[in-house]
Amino acid sequence: MSVRLMKKILKEQQPAEPKQLIYSEDESESESPPPSSATFRNPFDLLDDEDYTVDQENKADINDGSSIENSDEKQASTTKTTAEAFLLSDSKFKKKKKKKNKEKPQPGSKDKEDSWNESLEQLSIKDDSSHLDYVAPDHGKYNPTNLNGRGKVVKQCTSFVLQVDPKYLNAENELRRIFGSRVVNSFEKGHQAGSSRQPRGVRRGNQSHRKTILVCPLEHWPRWDGSLSMELVETRDGISYFRYIHISSYSQAQRAFESAKAIHDFNGIVNILMHHPYHVDSLITLADYYKFSGELQMSADCTSRCLYALECAWHPMFTPLMGNCQLKFSCEINKLLFSVLFSHMKNMDRRGCHRSALELCKLLLLLDSDDPMGVLFCIDYYSLRAEEFTWLEQFSEQYKSDNSLWLFPNFSYSLGVCRYYLEKEEHAKDMKVEDLKASSTDLMKQALMLHPSVLKKLVSKVPLKDKAWTSIIKHNFFSSDQTGTSSLDHLINIYVERSYIIWRLPDLQKFLRDAALSVIETLQNDGSDARDWTCVRKEAFSSEKNEYSHLLVSDFSDSVPTLPPDNLQNFMVDPRGEVPNNAQPGNHRVQDLTDRNAIAVLLESMLPWINYGSGHDQPDHDEQANEG
């Protein structure tokens, strides 16, 4: 805000005071120019010199009163050099400073200074709030005073802790950080040399691809055809909601895909990609085909092409990294982005780029806070593998501001591991441990008391073969691997399947064993703690039905399912990546031949996925027909 505008507002707020020109004896003796002359003034003098403000007010009054001046005086004032003006202002500033130190403070100066500070605070708040809609928020300096209401504070905390770092979305950057640029560059050169052959009839030359933040397009990818687009649905509570839309050519390809899917024609889907190289459903199907056949690199390439197409279709106002845009999973067409991002996240995990997978988890939570993909049950694993221990503690405390994430089995155990490594770092750096935070041993004992059934499943999954674990598992408190609540048992299975590999480290095994022995010792002295934690567990997971049945345990597993080569010809999956029952060996549905045309049956029998049953099934069919 300029000084002139600030003075104008202060004049409106405070009553006008008589203005007098005060010149000191030192100033009169000095060869200083008259007040009407334009002298150079340091703007930071406003914070230190009160006389400067009075002088500026007098100058403003003189300038306002003297609207008609002599042209000769104007020319004389404007012809002074900047060097002379700087020396004069510097000498005047020093003399004023000496006079200020000699004078005693006046009784009314303190009140005037307080009113001045209050006015500045009001002006700064108004100035900040007026620019909130146009300037990107500085997440490094979070100030909740600029927000109105508790709901906005919660949203600001959530967006702050979920701030996505774009440079870590690119897996190549993380690989360079881990292995070094020289190793990655040599690998890329070898990979490009191996794939440098081009088919006949293709013109040589680099493809001009659009720059994206989620993936880096490869040279052999076709150019973006613009078959997808996005529109703004509504803006509510400062959040803009978008959805994808199809153009006419994409809708035609989608109808062809549905027709090929209905008859399980995999060659038809490949034919769609020849004419529409960025048809997302066909690319997902092709990626799953490569995954089940063991070609993981080809599968990841198809997934990246899907993500490139979906990002190229973004609306100009769609900025998900800022936390002010969302795509609702309830909209059917938006589900493609969530499933592709989740698959891309798992591909990053297989490549060892855990920080990239963590940033993708943040992005999925920013797109839809309802967490339809179950990212909350793997984000702790990726943060531990990426060694983002401080962030994990901050996330568990600030996400949605309810501090209830520790009730989930994955966060309950991961927070103990996180505090364990933070304590090791503080001990190595000789840092003082905060007294307000619980120790790692207390957190792990709390996790074992809240979810004791996790221990037995970890012992069998890791596996933990130490003799001490045999005696620990035989204890009544750790002997059961079921809780009696379907939702909690499902979440425990997801955690064990996702994070069991962390517990293969010897230091963590010792840490878990010591905590388990401490829990057993505590229960022998006082058994009431077990009943209290049981009540907490039943209150937190009170639903009788499985609320997380839409999350498959296999989606959080490192193992990749494969199909025999003989069954790949019958392969066909839906956009969710599930293999239908009729694609599995021995599960073909028996076709009914009642009132069927003989020629149609003959042509249909040539299809490999059609099954008319064996000969001994026909009598049963005849008996049912006779009974009818």
Side-chain angles (χ1 to χ4, degrees):
M1 181 181 292
S2 63
V3 177
R4 183 178 299 176
L5 181 58
M6 185 172 62
K7 285 171 72 296
K8 184 178 179 181
I9 297 176
L10 290 176
K11 286 180 181 180
E12 294 176 357
Q13 294 181 355
Q14 295 180 356
E17 297 179 356
K19 304 179 181 62
Q20 298 178 357
L21 291 175
I22 302 174
Y23 296 96
S24 62
E25 296 179 358
D26 297 335
E27 291 178 351
S28 61
E29 294 176 358
S30 63
E31 296 179 358
S32 59
S36 59
S37 62
T39 59
F40 178 83
R41 184 69 65 176
N42 188 0
F44 290 97
D45 297 345
L46 180 63
L47 302 176
D48 298 327
D49 197 356
E50 295 178 0
D51 295 337
Y52 176 71
T53 59
V54 178
D55 192 15
Q56 289 292 323
E57 291 177 357
N58 296 332
K59 287 182 180 181
D61 293 340
I62 294 174
N63 292 331
D64 294 339
S66 58
S67 59
I68 302 175
E69 294 181 352
N70 192 1
S71 60
D72 296 334
E73 294 179 0
K74 286 185 178 181
Q75 293 178 359
S77 63
T78 55
T79 54
K80 291 186 176 181
T81 59
T82 56
E84 293 176 352
F86 179 79
L87 293 174
L88 290 174
S89 61
D90 191 18
S91 61
K92 185 176 179 180
F93 174 75
K94 292 180 179 178
K95 292 178 180 179
K96 285 186 177 182
K97 197 129 188 167
K98 292 179 180 178
K99 179 183 176 182
K100 183 180 177 181
N101 294 332
K102 292 180 180 178
E103 290 179 354
K104 295 182 179 180
Q106 298 178 358
S109 61
K110 186 175 182 181
D111 298 336
K112 188 175 182 179
E113 184 178 359
D114 294 340
S115 62
W116 174 267
N117 293 333
E118 292 177 0
S119 301
L120 283 177
E121 290 178 359
Q122 294 177 2
L123 290 174
S124 63
I125 293 174
K126 292 179 181 179
D127 184 53
D128 291 342
S129 60
S130 62
H131 291 76
L132 282 177
D133 297 334
Y134 303 98
V135 181
D138 187 4
H139 298 290
K141 298 179 181 179
Y142 168 63
N143 185 9
T145 57
N146 294 335
L147 303 174
N148 296 324
R150 183 178 180 276
K152 292 185 178 180
V153 174
V154 172
K155 290 181 180 179
Q156 183 72 9
C157 291
T158 301
S159 61
F160 167 67
V161 77
L162 291 178
Q163 184 181 7
V164 180
D165 194 345
K167 68 179 181 180
Y168 287 110
L169 288 174
N170 188 359
E172 305 300 329
N173 294 335
E174 186 171 3
L175 290 175
R176 286 185 172 89
R177 182 175 61 89
I178 298 173
F179 301 104
S181 300
R182 183 178 300 178
V183 176
V184 175
N185 291 335
S186 62
F187 175 78
E188 289 180 351
K189 289 180 181 179
H191 182 70
Q192 291 175 0
S195 60
S196 60
R197 296 183 59 186
Q198 295 186 2
R200 297 181 60 184
V202 178
R203 297 179 60 184
R204 290 185 175 271
N206 294 331
Q207 294 281 355
S208 58
H209 296 290
R210 296 179 58 177
K211 292 184 178 180
T212 54
I213 59 176
L214 297 179
V215 293
C216 292
L218 302 180
E219 293 182 358
H220 66 274
W221 289 3
R223 295 182 62 181
W224 165 241
D225 54 1
S227 56
L228 268 178
S229 183
M230 181 182 283
E231 66 176 359
L232 175 63
V233 179
E234 62 176 349
T235 300
R236 185 174 64 252
D237 297 333
I239 303 296
S240 300
Y241 297 90
F242 296 83
R243 68 179 175 187
Y244 284 99
I245 55 175
H246 294 166
I247 64 174
S248 57
S249 61
Y250 193 93
S251 300
Q252 182 181 0
Q254 186 67 23
R255 289 191 294 269
F257 172 79
E258 296 295 338
S259 301
K261 178 182 175 182
I263 62 175
H264 301 276
D265 185 9
F266 188 74
N267 293 328
I269 292 178
V270 175
N271 188 35
I272 293 173
L273 289 175
M274 293 179 63
H275 297 86
H276 304 277
Y278 287 107
H279 184 257
V280 179
D281 287 321
S282 299
L283 285 173
I284 292 176
T285 304
L286 189 62
D288 290 327
Y289 175 84
Y290 285 126
K291 181 179 67 174
F292 283 105
S293 62
E295 298 288 342
L296 297 183
Q297 182 60 39
M298 297 295 293
S299 176
D301 184 74
C302 292
T303 303
S304 299
R305 283 178 59 181
C306 290
L307 203 54
Y308 175 72
L310 291 169
E311 184 178 354
C312 288
W314 282 0
H315 193 276
M317 296 175 58
F318 184 69
T319 54
L321 303 186
M322 298 294 296
N324 57 352
C325 301
Q326 287 191 8
L327 284 172
K328 281 301 179 183
F329 187 80
S330 56
C331 184
E332 187 68 26
I333 195 173
N334 291 339
K335 294 181 179 180
L336 294 175
L337 180 61
F338 288 89
S339 60
V340 172
L341 279 175
F342 194 82
S343 300
H344 187 61
M345 178 189 68
K346 293 192 292 185
N347 292 335
M348 294 297 101
D349 178 40
R350 293 190 186 100
R351 296 182 65 182
C353 302
H354 305 294
R355 181 61 189 274
S356 299
L358 176 61
E359 300 301 322
L360 290 171
C361 288
K362 298 179 186 178
L363 180 59
L364 283 169
L365 289 177
L366 286 175
L367 289 175
D368 195 339
S369 57
D370 295 335
D371 190 22
M373 304 302 296
V375 176
L376 285 177
F377 307 115
C378 61
I379 193 172
D380 59 305
Y381 167 77
Y382 294 128
S383 60
L384 289 178
R385 294 299 303 270
E387 298 182 358
E388 292 293 321
F389 308 122
T390 305
W391 178 88
L392 180 59
E393 283 193 345
Q394 186 180 10
F395 175 76
S396 63
E397 295 171 358
Q398 296 183 6
Y399 182 69
K400 292 188 175 180
S401 298
D402 56 358
N403 197 19
S404 61
L405 289 179
W406 65 275
L407 294 173
F408 292 115
N410 58 320
F411 276 95
S412 183
Y413 280 83
S414 295
L415 287 176
V417 177
C418 176
R419 173 48 50 183
Y420 172 76
Y421 282 112
L422 285 177
E423 288 177 354
K424 290 183 65 176
E425 292 180 0
E426 292 170 352
H427 180 70
K429 298 178 181 179
D430 294 332
M431 297 174 60
K432 184 178 180 181
V433 182
E434 298 183 12
D435 297 334
L436 298 178
K437 291 188 176 293
S439 64
S440 58
T441 303
D442 294 336
L443 290 176
M444 187 53 61
K445 288 172 61 178
Q446 175 180 291
L448 291 170
M449 296 286 286
L450 183 60
H451 304 291
S453 59
V454 174
L455 187 61
K456 188 173 183 178
K457 292 185 177 182
L458 282 177
V459 170
S460 60
K461 181 69 176 179
V462 173
L464 302 176
K465 299 181 179 180
D466 196 285
K467 295 181 179 180
W469 293 110
T470 305
S471 59
I472 292 175
I473 295 303
K474 288 182 179 180
H475 193 272
N476 294 331
F477 189 70
F478 297 111
S479 60
S480 176
D481 59 353
Q482 299 294 327
T483 62
T485 306
S486 56
S487 297
L488 183 56
D489 288 335
H490 191 68
L491 293 181
I492 290 175
N493 292 333
I494 290 176
Y495 169 69
V496 173
E497 186 67 30
R498 173 67 280 175
S499 303
Y500 76 94
I501 195 172
I502 293 179
W503 297 101
R504 289 184 174 177
L505 298 175
D507 54 346
L508 286 183
Q509 292 181 11
K510 182 179 182 302
F511 171 60
L512 181 63
R513 182 178 66 250
D514 295 341
L517 293 175
S518 180
V519 168
I520 294 176
E521 183 180 357
T522 302
L523 293 176
Q524 290 176 353
N525 298 330
D526 186 7
S528 61
D529 291 344
R531 294 188 296 269
D532 296 339
W533 285 108
T534 302
C535 295
V536 173
R537 183 170 59 250
K538 290 183 178 180
E539 185 177 355
F541 302 93
S542 57
S543 179
E544 296 181 358
K545 62 180 181 179
N546 189 0
E547 298 177 346
Y548 306 96
S549 58
H550 61 284
L551 303 177
L552 302 178
V553 179
S554 58
D555 289 340
F556 299 87
S557 176
D558 289 329
S559 60
V560 180
T562 57
L563 288 177
D566 297 337
N567 295 329
L568 286 176
Q569 60 178 350
N570 304 331
F571 176 82
M572 190 66 194
V573 296
D574 61 359
R576 291 186 62 221
E578 296 179 355
V579 181
N581 293 331
N582 55 8
Q584 300 291 345
N587 291 334
H588 297 286
R589 184 172 57 88
V590 178
Q591 301 289 332
D592 190 7
L593 300 178
T594 306
D595 299 331
R596 295 288 304 277
N597 191 313
I599 299 178
V601 171
L602 177 62
L603 295 176
E604 192 180 55
S605 63
M606 298 179 183
L607 299 176
W609 54 82
I610 299 299
N611 183 18
Y612 293 111
S614 56
H616 63 272
D617 294 335
Q618 188 66 26
D620 297 338
H621 177 73
D622 295 338
E623 290 178 1
Q624 293 178 0
N626 294 332
E627 291 178 0

